[in-house]
Amino acid sequence: MTTEIEQPPKNKKSGMAKKAGVFLVVAAIILVAYTQFGDLLSLQNLANQEAQLRGFQADHPVLVYGAAFLVYVVVTGLSLPGAAVLTLVYGWYFGLLRGVVLVSFASTAGATMAFLLSRFLFRDAIRKRFGDRLHSFNQSLEKEGPFFLFTMRLIPAVPFFVINAVMGLTPIRTRTFWWVSQLGMLAGTAVYVYAGSSVPDLQTLADKGIGAVFTPSQLTQIVIAFVLLGVFPLIVRFAMKFIRRAKAQSPVQNPSV
């Protein structure tokens, strides 16, 4: 007597194949980026070509802005290291205003790309494994999602690539993720671009890093300021909830006649 082995549905097999294909493509791009372009985009190498970079920007401005945008999207979208350094370089290269605009939109596009990759590759597997445990969390996130994401974006202690990956596993809408990230990352982007724009040359930045602009005490103050900026709206939110709950539970007092 033969026993038939149950085959997985074709659409399920097709979905798994697509995810495997996307994962392999992403892994290949990361490998190529590390091996072929890692040294090319290093801070020291860029410092050695400072004059050529300035001349190329003057001769081909549209190409330079397009390439800079694409590079930043790929770095942040694939969670490659170096986004902070790249932000400093863009501040030096493009100046404060143009650098903030470029980095702001490129970082949000990259974050959304990482968010969608995480959602496509891992959300079904995580939901299947931890569905019961995530149910209450997802219900809370549906109500608090934008506020929660905005708070996390303001706290520099939480790496952005972790936020992108984790939020991709939640039911938050892509459009909501995009505009909240755009606003939440703006303050940090402005600080880093300003730091880069204040550096006289790339060699100084390559030698001293962020210390070329900010002293350790100033950096500590900036981090504390961002933490307070992120925590403050959270405190206000909980305070408002507590007040509303207290009012709802208090007995209604009739005015004496």
Side-chain angles (χ1 to χ4, degrees):
M1 181 176 179
T2 59
T3 303
E4 294 184 357
I5 300 176
E6 183 179 352
Q7 299 293 333
K10 289 185 178 180
N11 58 349
K12 184 177 180 180
K13 293 176 64 177
S14 176
M16 293 176 62
K18 288 180 181 178
K19 291 181 180 181
V22 170
F23 181 80
L24 291 175
V25 169
V26 171
I29 294 175
I30 293 175
L31 181 63
V32 170
Y34 270 122
T35 57
Q36 301 298 321
F37 302 105
D39 294 335
L40 182 64
L41 295 176
S42 68
L43 194 53
Q44 185 59 55
N45 185 63
L46 293 174
N48 294 335
Q49 303 180 41
E50 185 169 338
Q52 293 90 326
L53 289 172
R54 287 295 190 192
F56 192 80
Q57 181 189 17
D59 295 336
H60 310 281
V62 177
L63 178 61
V64 166
Y65 278 99
F69 185 90
L70 181 61
V71 167
Y72 205 103
V73 170
V74 171
V75 169
T76 53
L78 299 182
S79 302
L80 299 175
V85 173
L86 203 58
T87 305
L88 295 173
V89 172
Y90 281 17
W92 164 83
Y93 194 48
F94 297 109
L96 179 58
L97 181 59
R98 290 176 293 178
V100 167
V101 173
L102 177 62
V103 173
S104 179
F105 283 95
S107 62
T108 304
T112 305
M113 174 181 167
F115 165 85
L116 292 174
L117 281 173
S118 174
R119 172 165 291 183
F120 178 73
L121 292 174
F122 306 116
R123 187 169 71 163
D124 290 343
I126 296 296
R127 182 186 296 171
K128 183 182 297 183
R129 185 177 181 86
F130 303 103
D132 294 338
R133 302 179 191 177
L134 291 175
H135 181 68
S136 58
F137 173 77
N138 286 338
Q139 281 186 328
S140 299
L141 196 62
E142 286 180 359
K143 300 178 181 178
E144 306 288 347
F147 183 80
F148 176 80
L149 175 59
F150 183 75
T151 302
M152 291 297 100
R153 288 299 191 196
L154 289 174
I155 301 177
V158 184
F160 281 176
F161 74 91
V162 173
I163 298 174
N164 301 334
V166 171
M167 295 305 292
L169 307 178
T170 69
I172 189 172
R173 294 181 179 180
T174 304
R175 180 176 59 186
T176 302
F177 177 86
W178 182 88
W179 72 259
V180 174
S181 297
Q182 186 81 50
L183 293 177
M185 294 191 293
L186 185 58
T189 295
V191 170
Y192 267 83
V193 173
Y194 168 77
S197 67
S198 302
V199 175
D201 53 70
L202 277 184
Q203 190 59 54
T204 302
L205 188 60
D207 293 339
K208 298 182 180 180
I210 191 68
V213 180
F214 298 123
T215 64
S217 61
Q218 288 175 324
L219 279 176
T220 302
Q221 292 172 2
I222 290 172
V223 171
I224 292 175
F226 275 118
V227 171
L228 293 176
L229 189 63
V231 172
F232 178 73
L234 193 63
I235 295 175
V236 173
R237 185 87 168 193
F238 280 117
M240 294 299 296
K241 282 187 175 180
F242 178 80
I243 293 173
R244 286 197 296 265
R245 190 179 298 115
K247 287 183 177 180
Q249 293 176 353
S250 62
V252 179
Q253 298 180 354
N254 295 322
S256 58
V257 180

